[in-house]
Amino acid sequence: MSQLFTPITLRDVTVRNRVWVAPMCQYSAVDGVPNDWHLVHLGSLARGGAGLVIAEASAVVPEGRISPEDTGLWNDEQQAAWARIVEFVHGQGATAGIQLAHAGRKASTVGLTGGRGAVADADGGWRPVGPSAEPFPGLREDPEPLDLAGIQRVVTAFGDAAERALAAGFDVLEVHAAHGYLLHEFLSPLSNHRDDEYGGSFDNRVRLVLEVVREVRSRVPAGVPVLVRLSATDWVEGGWSADETVRLSALLREEGVDLIDTSSGGNVPADIPLEPGYQVPFARRIRAEAGIPSGAVGLITEPKHAEEILTEGSADVVLLARELLRDPHWPLRAARELGETGDALWPAQYRRAAR
């Protein structure tokens, strides 16, 4: 059996293989409620043989959405809509996960319609929040720095959303602390200019992430895996660094995090050296130096490459994003290319094509 198709167990959850679906925003919700598009999108990925299907960044509060069309998990209607989707994902043999998120200063952004940029209040936008008043270039110019009470509300909201996720049937939770959204904004000196206990030193800048994880961990049973997505570097001098990521990953391990989903960038404009597997070295360092399982993501498109990442010990799982948009049945193709026999991954309705 290939490493890619070996099951992996985190706490009480066993995932059927190590091809995982990375969260991908669809910008297709109304008032944060997922709909038929999300059912078909996520359902097709589960049907296609992925092990863990992680639903898109879903805001823990309305103002935490990236765009007005983002999904959320702050009310009963959203919870019920997610439950329908989770049931279908489970019916295809896949494990269901969701990424809990707050967009911070990158909120109130145009989704699929009207190009890119900020959404004005008159068009349904809102004033975003962040660690400091500095905006993200090209987006809303008026982020409001969170006060201590606001920070506590964010922490509580992540815990509330975690409880709702479990009630909807999700098996795995991921805290989004990457790509320049709120938790990453607190981590990076390039976006965090605070002079209180949440700014300045490394210990202060990681405080919010640790508090959020502690809250989420305290709200869910011990058997539920909690993942964290981190941007391993800002790719800019003086920003959040790979060394700091390793330090934080070790702290997250102590807080009960089960795996680091390793990405990079997104907090400030940067020149990123894109090539297949360009983020794999960060996942390798986290796994080796922080002593916590890691996931590799980023321009991984070929089954043999994905298999090599696991066999060489660079990561424990591989997460795919755009490649699965191009080919939702990538896991089925990968299994065949890697010499996996049998048709257990194939839906019964499709097994005539497995031979």
Side-chain angles (χ1 to χ4, degrees):
M1 180 176 287
S2 73
Q3 286 293 306
L4 201 60
F5 291 95
T6 301
I8 181 171
T9 298
L10 300 176
R11 296 187 182 256
D12 290 348
V13 175
T14 297
V15 184
R16 63 182 174 182
N17 62 50
R18 301 173 188 236
V19 183
W20 290 9
V21 178
M24 291 177 279
C25 289
Q26 298 297 293
Y27 306 108
S28 299
V30 177
D31 295 329
V33 180
N35 52 45
D36 285 351
W37 175 264
H38 302 87
L39 171 66
V40 174
H41 164 63
L42 296 170
S44 70
L45 299 173
R47 181 199 64 198
L52 173 63
V53 178
I54 307 179
E56 66 188 78
S58 297
V60 299
V61 290
E63 64 272 19
R65 290 171 294 169
I66 302 167
S67 80
E69 295 79 35
D70 275 21
T71 55
L73 196 46
W74 68 79
N75 65 33
D76 292 346
E77 185 181 6
Q78 295 157 358
Q79 179 181 311
W82 280 122
R84 171 177 174 245
I85 295 168
V86 170
E87 182 179 14
F88 186 88
V89 169
H90 285 161
Q92 305 308 303
T95 304
I98 189 168
Q99 186 182 67
L100 305 179
H102 191 304
R105 67 178 184 162
K106 294 177 78 173
S108 193
T109 302
V110 174
L112 291 181
T113 59
R116 301 183 63 84
V119 180
D121 291 352
D123 298 322
W126 59 91
R127 185 182 184 188
V129 299
S132 307
E134 183 176 348
F136 185 88
L139 299 182
R140 292 280 301 227
E141 297 286 340
D142 58 346
E144 178 182 2
L146 282 167
D147 60 16
L148 296 183
I151 288 174
Q152 185 53 55
R153 286 193 294 272
V154 167
V155 173
T156 300
F158 270 93
D160 292 345
E163 291 187 355
R164 286 190 176 279
L166 291 191
F170 285 103
D171 309 292
V172 175
L173 308 181
E174 178 170 277
V175 173
H176 197 358
H179 300 164
Y181 299 120
L182 184 65
L183 301 187
H184 183 186
E185 292 164 17
F186 271 82
L187 293 176
S188 175
L190 300 178
S191 48
N192 183 345
H193 307 304
R194 301 175 73 96
D195 58 7
D196 63 3
E197 60 265 45
Y198 289 92
S201 69
F202 170 85
D203 289 340
N204 284 354
R205 287 182 282 112
V206 303
R207 190 181 305 276
L208 178 56
V209 174
L210 295 178
E211 289 179 351
V212 165
V213 166
R214 203 171 293 136
E215 180 77 6
V216 168
R217 187 76 267 173
S218 73
R219 301 279 205 102
V220 301
V224 175
V226 174
L227 322 178
V228 174
R229 172 163 271 200
L230 294 176
S231 279
T233 176
D234 284 336
W235 296 105
V236 173
E237 187 71 28
W240 180 252
S241 70
D243 288 343
E244 290 177 310
T245 297
V246 171
R247 288 179 64 189
L248 174 57
S249 297
L251 294 175
L252 291 170
R253 183 198 68 224
E254 294 173 3
E255 295 291 346
V257 169
D258 300 289
L259 182 141
I260 303 298
D261 176 1
T262 314
S263 191
S264 69
N267 191 43
V268 293
D271 184 14
I272 300 177
L274 298 175
E275 62 180 7
Y278 70 103
Q279 295 170 152
V280 171
F282 302 127
R284 181 186 305 121
R285 282 197 61 186
I286 288 168
R287 189 173 190 264
E289 299 176 36
I292 184 171
S294 68
V297 63
L299 295 181
I300 300 168
T301 61
E302 296 301 325
K304 288 183 180 179
H305 183 203
E307 178 76 6
E308 288 170 1
I309 290 168
L310 301 185
T311 56
E312 70 187 13
S314 292
D316 297 271
V317 301
V318 171
L319 295 101
L320 276 64
R322 297 182 193 189
E323 187 62 18
L324 286 174
L325 299 183
R326 288 185 280 265
D327 180 7
H329 298 103
W330 189 95
L332 302 179
R333 175 169 65 84
R336 176 173 291 179
E337 288 188 19
L338 295 174
E340 290 294 309
T341 59
D343 55 10
L345 273 183
W346 288 76
Q349 299 92 329
Y350 283 17
R351 283 180 187 161
R352 74 193 75 174
R355 302 177 181 86

